[in-house]
Amino acid sequence: SVTFNHAEGDIDLILRDALGTEVAASRTADNTESLSFAVPWNGPLFVEVVLVNDTGGLPGNLYNLSIAYTAPSCAVDAEEPNDTQGAASPLSPGTHGGLHGCLGDDDWYAVAVGAGQQIALDLLFAHAEGDLTLGLYDPSGSLLAESTSVTDNEDLAGNVPSAGTYLVRVHLEGDSGPVVGVPYALDLAVN
């Protein structure tokens, strides 16, 4: 927004993309021009303040410019809220898609298995979007195994020592892609 004394001159506020194309504008006859724009792409935007008419006794017109930016929020998947061990979502064998890892928001899953069974987990994602890690925890909440590579996908497999409900943690270490957070699928096999 731009605030100014309209009696000293008319000011317009224009928002342009990287090519200079106008994407939003405010052109009123008031003492304030303001606009809001949801940015559908990555890249720069340019704010243009234009003195349309200089009608006051002094050359030009003084103004105050205020810019506020709201970061986009991370997608919420159907398993939320599963942010703690105590709120873990039940996970059955098979592939579960449409999931989303967010910074500061771990995803926890609960897997019921019998003694001596083997559990295999595949976390499927594009590392270019961000760095997800995969952890397996015993029924008491202690870490049993972890996969922390710096490539696409993470996987864990092995026999569980005793029957019970084991916990799976998906953690976003870093978000580097154009999408906020990291979309992923989680595949579980229990044999």
Side-chain angles (χ1 to χ4, degrees):
S1 66
V2 175
T3 57
F4 56 95
N5 181 354
H6 192 268
E8 283 294 318
D10 184 25
I11 292 179
D12 287 347
L13 179 62
I14 302 167
L15 189 63
R16 298 186 182 277
D17 66 14
L19 299 175
T21 304
E22 182 179 305
V23 295
S26 177
R27 295 179 173 97
T28 68
D30 297 328
N31 291 330
T32 302
E33 300 290 348
S34 69
L35 58 87
S36 179
F37 182 72
V39 183
W41 65 82
N42 288 326
L45 287 171
F46 299 93
V47 177
E48 183 178 2
V49 179
V50 179
L51 179 62
V52 179
N53 295 315
D54 189 0
T55 55
L58 300 173
N61 194 352
L62 298 173
Y63 64 89
N64 291 310
L65 176 64
S66 174
I67 299 175
Y69 169 76
T70 304
S73 60
C74 192
V76 175
D77 59 50
E79 299 302 321
E80 290 292 341
N82 62 337
D83 306 332
T84 64
Q85 290 182 355
S89 296
L91 187 66
S92 58
T95 301
H96 306 269
L99 303 172
H100 210 90
C102 300
L103 286 172
D105 181 14
D106 290 344
D107 290 339
W108 288 88
Y109 302 93
V111 179
V113 293
Q117 285 190 298
Q118 184 179 59
I119 186 170
L121 291 160
D122 289 309
L123 178 62
L124 310 169
F125 67 99
H127 192 267
E129 278 296 325
D131 185 18
L132 289 173
T133 63
L134 178 64
L136 179 63
Y137 295 74
D138 69 17
S140 72
S142 297
L143 181 64
L144 288 176
E146 190 172 37
S147 181
T148 61
S149 72
V150 290
T151 61
D152 289 357
N153 308 328
E154 301 289 344
D155 59 81
L156 293 172
N159 291 337
V160 295
S162 60
T165 301
Y166 287 75
L167 298 168
V168 175
R169 175 184 176 226
V170 176
H171 173 75
L172 180 57
E173 290 285 335
D175 190 357
S176 54
V179 174
V180 177
V182 178
Y184 70 90
L186 188 56
D187 184 67
L188 169 67
V190 178
N191 300 314

